Amino acid sequence: KGINAALSINLYDFINIENKVEIYCNGELVIKRLIIVFDDFERSKIDTVNLLGAINEYTENREIKSILIADEEKINKSEYIDFKEKLIFRTIKLVPKYSFLIANIVSQYCETSIGYSEFLAENKAVIERVFSESELGNIRTLKSMIIDFERVYSCWVKSAIPTVNMSDVLYTFGAVLFEYRAGKYKKSEYGYLFEDTRLKDKYSRYNANASLLSSLQIWITSGEWNEKSFIDDIKNKYGIQCLSDDAKFLFYNFWDLNHNIISKGLVIATERAYKGELSGDELVSLLQKVQAMNEYGINLPLDLDYTKMLAG
């Protein structure tokens, strides 16, 4: 009986919530109006009807001003629509000034690697561009991009390999990170070949100057950081003055390959595969591109001998 009685109790009978609060300011008693703010309304785990009923009690019966902060596109419940029509006096759409936010984040970043803050400032336009083209508006991912890339920056600078292409790598790194965090960058039987093709259409500078590094791709998608693989990546791509035809065939985005690169680079890369001179990543890249060329009906300049390749 005691439990049943307790469950039927209305807490408002015992807890008096007023719409004004008394505070002391400079020794003087000041009465201020109370305002209740509900943040992330759409994420609330409380039953919608109960929550709306409580807000109705505050606003209508107790005359307490209330502010709801919510992403209305994620609220599809009819109870909320009815509630909004009856009780919400004014709706204000907040349009964030992303350019200002990004500038603020970059200017206030606390570097752990000397020179990184200056690098971010110099590449603020690059960061804004990849953020804008992602069309996701996710500030948390933007911050992760900036924080994570500091490790890339630090390793690259210490390696003494020319950093002229680091801005392109930052851009492509950000594009992959945004898509992966949004659940849109998924591996298929051909690896990420077709995902990279899609991103090429979405991001204007994607994989510019062969800036898609397999070591960073693995780090983003699996969480596995391998400094040696990263150093090998940038050494192979940017450690020499000019990429050879076979390196271009292996490292460039599929849709960036022209007839000259295919006719020369594929032949050289295949011969290197027969001799066992390709790394695992390079061999995978070769096979993926050959598979894609077969699917799209692109004539190969030679017949591949997979027995020799396997032996290599």
Side-chain angles (χ1 to χ4, degrees):
K1 290 182 179 179
I3 293 176
N4 289 336
L7 291 175
S8 67
I9 289 174
N10 184 351
L11 291 179
Y12 291 118
D13 294 337
F14 296 89
I15 303 173
N16 185 28
I17 302 176
E18 301 288 346
N19 58 12
K20 296 179 182 178
V21 290
E22 296 180 350
I23 66 169
Y24 283 91
C25 182
N26 297 327
E28 294 184 7
L29 182 65
V30 178
I31 298 177
K32 289 198 172 186
R33 300 276 302 198
L34 178 67
I35 297 177
I36 299 180
V37 181
F38 295 85
D39 195 9
D40 288 339
F41 180 86
E42 75 282 0
R43 298 183 185 179
S44 175
K45 301 300 182 183
I46 302 173
D47 178 77
T48 303
V49 175
N50 291 339
L51 181 57
L52 295 177
I55 297 173
N56 180 67
E57 170 69 20
Y58 297 144
T59 56
E60 290 291 287
N61 301 330
R62 300 180 183 274
E63 298 181 349
I64 299 175
K65 294 183 181 295
S66 299
I67 298 174
L68 273 61
I69 302 175
D71 184 348
E72 286 196 313
E73 293 180 359
K74 296 181 180 179
I75 304 175
N76 299 316
K77 298 178 181 178
S78 58
E79 297 96 336
Y80 173 74
I81 297 174
D82 294 338
F83 168 81
K84 180 177 178 179
E85 290 178 353
K86 296 174 182 177
L87 288 177
I88 295 182
F89 175 69
R90 178 181 298 158
T91 299
I92 300 174
K93 182 176 177 64
L94 298 178
V95 181
K97 298 179 180 179
Y98 287 124
S99 180
F100 172 78
L101 287 173
I102 293 172
N104 197 35
I105 291 170
V106 168
S107 65
Q108 295 189 21
Y109 186 81
C110 296
E111 65 180 25
T112 57
S113 300
I114 297 175
Y116 185 60
S117 292
E118 183 179 352
F119 170 80
L120 291 178
E122 291 173 350
N123 289 278
K124 185 167 70 70
V126 174
I127 297 171
E128 283 188 27
R129 186 174 188 173
V130 70
F131 178 83
S132 173
E133 291 177 351
S134 75
E135 299 178 344
L136 296 169
N138 195 317
I139 294 295
R140 288 188 179 92
T141 301
L142 174 74
K143 289 181 177 180
S144 294
M145 167 190 165
I146 291 173
I147 293 170
D148 291 348
F149 199 80
E150 186 168 12
R151 175 181 285 186
V152 176
Y153 173 88
S154 177
C155 289
W156 198 329
V157 170
K158 290 176 183 176
S159 72
I161 295 172
T163 59
V164 64
N165 296 109
M166 194 184 292
S167 295
D168 291 324
V169 174
L170 170 65
Y171 176 93
T172 299
F173 176 83
V176 175
L177 184 63
F178 275 111
E179 295 298 309
Y180 180 74
R181 289 285 183 88
K184 300 178 179 179
Y185 194 75
K186 298 178 180 179
K187 196 173 185 178
S188 69
E189 58 183 312
Y190 305 114
Y192 294 102
L193 178 63
F194 296 110
E195 287 295 291
D196 293 331
T197 301
R198 179 179 65 82
L199 265 61
K200 180 74 173 177
D201 294 332
K202 182 176 181 180
Y203 294 89
S204 58
R205 293 286 297 164
Y206 188 74
N207 200 24
N209 295 313
S211 55
L212 178 61
L213 307 184
S214 60
S215 56
L216 299 186
Q217 196 176 37
I218 292 172
W219 183 31
I220 291 171
T221 56
S222 70
E224 180 185 346
W225 167 256
N226 189 316
E227 183 172 333
K228 182 181 182 304
S229 294
F230 170 68
I231 297 298
D232 288 343
D233 267 352
I234 58 176
K235 185 182 294 183
N236 289 334
K237 292 190 177 185
Y238 309 124
I240 52 179
Q241 193 67 26
C242 181
L243 286 177
S244 60
D245 289 322
D246 57 316
K248 290 178 181 178
F249 180 82
L250 294 171
F251 295 136
Y252 276 19
N253 183 281
F254 179 73
W255 297 112
D256 288 336
L257 301 178
N258 57 38
H259 175 73
N260 187 56
I261 295 175
I262 292 174
S263 60
K264 294 181 180 179
L266 174 57
V267 174
I268 298 172
T270 302
E271 289 298 326
R272 289 181 60 202
Y274 294 161
K275 297 176 183 178
E277 295 177 354
L278 295 186
S279 68
D281 287 339
E282 289 172 337
L283 186 58
V284 169
S285 176
L286 171 62
L287 294 173
Q288 287 177 341
K289 287 187 170 71
V290 168
Q291 178 66 30
M293 290 169 69
N294 286 330
E295 285 207 2
Y296 286 108
I298 300 174
N299 294 327
L300 302 179
L302 78 168
D303 293 324
L304 269 69
D305 189 330
Y306 292 102
T307 303
K308 289 184 179 179
M309 201 174 290
L310 181 61

